[in-house]
Amino acid sequence: MGGARAMSAGAGEREPGPVMDREAVDRALARRGAEHEAVETSLLALQDHAGRRLLEGAELTGVTRQRWAATEAAISLLWACFDTYAQALATARALRARRRNPSREDLAELTELLEGRSLAVPGAAGAAGNGPVASLTGEVPRLSHRCSLEELVERMNELYADSLAVVIAADAVWSALPARIDLLSAELNRTRTLAHSVGVRPGEHPAGDDLERIARVLGALREQVVSDPLEFWQPQAGAAAPGAGRPDTRRYDREARGLDEVRREIEAVLAVRQDAEARLRELSDLLSRADRTLAEARAARGEVLAKIAASEVPAVSGPPVVLQEELSRAAEYRRRGHWSRLSPLLDSLEARAEDELLRAREQLSAVAAPLAIRAELRGRLDAYRAKVARHGLAEDTLLMERYDAARRMLWSAPCDLRAAEQAVLRYQRAVAETLAGEQG
């Protein structure tokens, strides 16, 4: 059945016109006969459509319940229209079969049957016997009106297209969404089992709570899809074919993405279980290195205070006791198999242990800076003395006096770094002047 043009309401009798001849009548009867067969085939296909049978036997709610009630009334009206069409065609065929060469009166009657508005067509009855209801095209038909065979075909096309659209939409949603929801629910159950194995449970871990929420949403979603499939249908705007569109999977897709996120979290927890021992060893090593570095910083601070005069030495923090306690708790979680608790604790500990080692190194560098300066001055003084010796000036009185003065300052405790630096500079200048004089 093809698409239909809008049909005029309240049409009257056929305008007076030429009477068809015998050949025109025979062509019209052949065309109407083929049309009758096509309509009948379409109606039987609609009657046998899996979606229609499912709608007929389902406990419907919401939008689908309302639209199916209107569609059932439309299908009943469609069959009534088809019966009227079939009766009119049978009458015309019987009239044409009376004689080989029909009379003018027969031709006039046949013309009226085939072209005129001679048919009384029923309107749409209310689904519950409450009077007329609007058709699926939005028209409120009367209890009956008169029309031609052409107009009746157009009317059947409209009713068929709208009825088929409802059936196709419901069948498409039922064919797509419940199966996908069932597959996602099966995946959810597998994820639940894995989650429980690593200690991810409702009330104990956010991922466990998310799994329970997704399970509730999927259960409610499946129930609604089964009872109200048209609520999940997105028609294609401007499409000519009946039932053009696709199932609305947005709610399903949202829960599928949520399950993917939870699964990634659980896989991360599972990875923690697999490499927890190695990570705990690395953490213990990091904290031990930080502790040793702080111990070096404290020793260096004592040395600076004892050997460097007039130096401001920053305080050194104590060992990372809190982190050591948390490391012990992490080891206990691993021993008891509390993987969901161990995972975030390990992540936090690794970041803070790295920071602790960095701070310990910074403290050691800050505390030992005066000792490093003293070592650099000692190295510079010895380098210049070696240079003097290479030039045969080791017995130069001035140079010996300047060297001895700088050395006493650098190797005495406490050492005045500022005075020692000036002494080294004086020795350097003396060496440079002496070498310049020798070369001149």
Side-chain angles (χ1 to χ4, degrees), residues 37-60:
E37 291 180 6
V39 171
E40 183 177 37
T41 300
S42 297
L43 288 178
L44 291 175
L46 176 62
Q47 196 71 12
D48 197 45
H49 196 289
R52 190 203 64 79
R53 292 199 304 270
L54 288 172
L55 282 165
E56 201 169 50
E59 294 184 8
L60 303 174

Side-chain angles (χ1 to χ4, degrees), residues 147-277:
C147 68
S148 66
L149 284 175
E150 185 68 30
E151 291 168 338
L152 185 57
V153 169
E154 291 180 358
R155 180 64 173 153
M156 286 191 292
N157 281 336
E158 292 172 359
L159 292 169
Y160 175 82
D162 291 331
S163 300
L164 183 62
V166 171
V167 170
I168 287 175
D171 187 51
V173 172
W174 277 333
S175 298
L177 271 176
R180 295 175 69 177
I181 293 172
D182 289 342
L183 288 174
L184 190 61
S185 297
E187 178 63 25
L188 173 68
N189 290 332
R190 288 191 292 271
T191 305
R192 265 177 168 170
T193 301
L194 181 61
H196 288 174
S197 72
V198 294
V200 176
R201 296 180 177 86
E204 299 180 10
H205 193 282
D209 297 334
D210 288 341
L211 285 174
E212 291 304 304
R213 182 196 60 78
I214 294 171
R216 289 193 300 271
V217 171
L218 287 180
L221 181 61
R222 193 185 194 287
E223 184 178 337
Q224 187 178 3
V225 165
V226 169
S227 66
D228 191 8
L230 296 184
E231 180 67 26
F232 297 87
W233 180 252
Q234 288 184 320
Q236 181 180 342
R246 62 181 181 84
D248 182 356
T249 62
R250 286 173 295 182
R251 289 172 58 184
Y252 165 87
D253 294 338
R254 184 167 59 248
E255 300 310 318
R257 288 193 299 269
L259 181 58
D260 281 341
E261 292 173 4
V262 172
R263 187 165 49 240
R264 283 194 292 271
E265 284 189 51
I266 294 170
E267 287 172 353
V269 173
L270 185 61
V272 169
R273 183 173 70 175
Q274 294 170 344
D275 60 9
E277 184 177 356

